[in-house]
């Protein structure tokens, strides 16, 4: 019986996941690779020795596809704290201005996004 490489990878990386996975196997290995790649890591599919990967739920790619989402960039506490410090500095230095030009009572809160549009 083959070892569960996804579980073993997570064990060896302390639950973080691999930086890069090279998959030349295809169908049986591709989805398992997604289970053990670190956030914003890279799975390189370079072969289909056991068959094409086939259709799969694209939501599974959230762990590895790099795109400008806040969730990806502040996934760890140190990354979150660094981003918060950078933003705070930008506010206090005046690089970013947050102007509040309207207030809404809670009963009319739905007006805010409508007026913003």
């Amino acid at each position: 019986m083959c070892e569960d490489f996804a579980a073993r990878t997570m064990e060896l990386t302390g639950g973080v996941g691999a930086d890069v996975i090279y998959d030349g196997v295809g169908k049986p290995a591709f989805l398992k690779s997604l289970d053990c790649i670190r956030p914003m890591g890279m799975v390189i599919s370079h072969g289909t020795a056991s068959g094409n990967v086939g259709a799969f739920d694209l939501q599974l790619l959230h762990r590895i596809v790099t795109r400008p989402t806040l969730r990806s960039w502040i996934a760890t506490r140190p990354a979150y704290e660094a981003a918060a410090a950078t933003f705070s500095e930008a506010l206090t230095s005046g690089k970013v201005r947050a102007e509040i030009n309207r207030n809404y009572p809670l009963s009319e809160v739905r007006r805010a996004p409508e007026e913003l549009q």
Side-chain angles (χ1 to χ4, degrees):
M1 183 157 109
C2 293
E3 182 176 18
D4 179 349
F5 77 87
R8 182 72 172 133
T9 300
M10 295 305 285
E11 178 186 328
L12 290 170
T13 62
V16 174
D19 292 332
V20 180
I21 295 175
Y22 296 90
D23 173 23
V25 176
K27 188 172 184 154
F30 181 75
L31 292 178
K32 282 286 220 188
S33 296
L34 300 181
D35 290 339
C36 60
I37 192 73
R38 72 167 171 75
M40 298 190 344
M42 186 179 300
V43 175
I44 299 170
S45 176
H46 63 87
T48 54
S50 291
N52 289 331
V53 170
F56 63 94
D57 181 1
L58 288 177
Q59 296 299 317
L60 297 173
L61 296 179
H62 276 263
R63 291 195 63 185
I64 63 166
V65 172
T66 302
R67 62 184 188 137
T69 65
L70 184 59
R71 178 175 52 182
S72 298
W73 293 105
I74 63 168
T76 66
R77 184 70 186 195
Y80 168 79
E81 289 174 355
T86 299
F87 183 64
S88 178
E89 189 278 325
L91 283 174
T92 57
S93 71
K95 291 178 188 171
V96 173
R97 290 189 355 230
E99 294 181 20
I100 300 171
N101 61 10
R102 291 193 186 138
N103 291 300
Y104 300 89
L106 189 55
S107 62
E108 297 177 28
V109 73
R110 290 183 181 198
R111 282 186 36 215
E114 291 168 358
E115 291 182 15
L116 184 60
Q117 235 176 4

